[in-house]
Amino acid sequence: MVSLTSFNRKRPGEVSKAKVQNFLNAKRLQLGKNDEVVQKLDKLDRFMLSKNLLMQIIGKADHHVPVLIPKELEDALDVLIEQRTEMGIPVENEYLFPQRNAKPGGKRHMDPWHLFRKYAKKYGLKHPKLMRGTNLR
């Protein structure tokens, strides 16, 4: 999730709430080949479409937000989806980045802010406080 958020320079909360169905639809519908969808992308995103899968998620104010998924990450997400049951993810959890031990009625997707802090510290960034979603946009 951190990699996908950083690559796309998106709001971490939006990416964390991506649904499995968003990913499966991106693969099935090939949104990157849909002229109507492609026209709404900025120039850089259009250029990068040739090597990435385009997924749309619902963002702030219920707007459709484009998210580019690099091939190697696409393969990893395929494995995560295939192995959900083995990882103990309940079938009814619809999030692409699920919280494994979510309490009933609690948040069922991963906390992106915790992950940003964790990896900024783990990889010894000179200024870990700058590794925040707000600074990526």
Side-chain angles (χ1 to χ4, degrees):
M1 177 183 11
V2 172
S3 175
L4 196 58
T5 302
S6 302
F7 181 75
N8 283 277
R9 301 175 68 97
K10 299 294 182 195
R11 289 182 171 92
E14 291 175 343
V15 175
S16 73
K17 294 174 188 155
K19 308 249 171 90
V20 170
Q21 198 58 50
N22 297 137
F23 178 67
L24 297 176
N25 285 345
K27 292 180 74 159
R28 183 176 54 83
L29 299 173
Q30 292 296 304
L31 296 172
K33 295 179 179 153
N34 181 321
D35 288 338
E36 188 178 320
V37 174
V38 172
Q39 301 243 340
K40 294 177 184 175
L41 299 175
D42 64 33
K43 199 173 190 178
L44 179 61
D45 284 347
R46 274 183 273 168
F47 173 76
M48 295 181 66
L49 267 179
S50 63
K51 296 183 182 187
N52 299 283
L53 176 68
L54 176 63
M55 174 174 73
Q56 285 191 323
I57 60 175
I58 301 298
K60 196 171 184 176
D62 289 332
H63 288 95
H64 283 87
V65 176
V67 176
L68 293 173
I69 303 173
K71 180 64 179 154
E72 57 274 4
L73 200 50
E74 181 182 342
D75 294 341
L77 291 172
D78 282 333
V79 171
L80 283 175
I81 290 171
E82 289 170 12
Q83 301 296 319
R84 286 170 74 87
T85 306
E86 289 82 356
M87 292 186 302
I89 306 299
V91 176
E92 62 273 4
N93 190 328
E94 61 192 347
Y95 292 102
L96 188 57
F97 302 105
Q99 181 91 339
R100 283 186 58 196
N101 301 317
K103 295 179 177 140
K107 184 169 59 173
R108 298 181 323 161
H109 58 84
M110 294 181 86
D111 178 355
W113 299 277
H114 168 72
L115 293 172
F116 267 82
R117 287 188 297 271
K118 175 183 172 181
Y119 289 112
K121 185 177 179 182
K122 179 178 178 176
Y123 292 106
L125 298 182
K126 288 181 184 177
H127 304 286
K129 291 186 187 234
L130 295 178
M131 185 60 178
R132 300 291 185 264
T134 305
N135 296 337
L136 292 174
R137 297 184 280 128

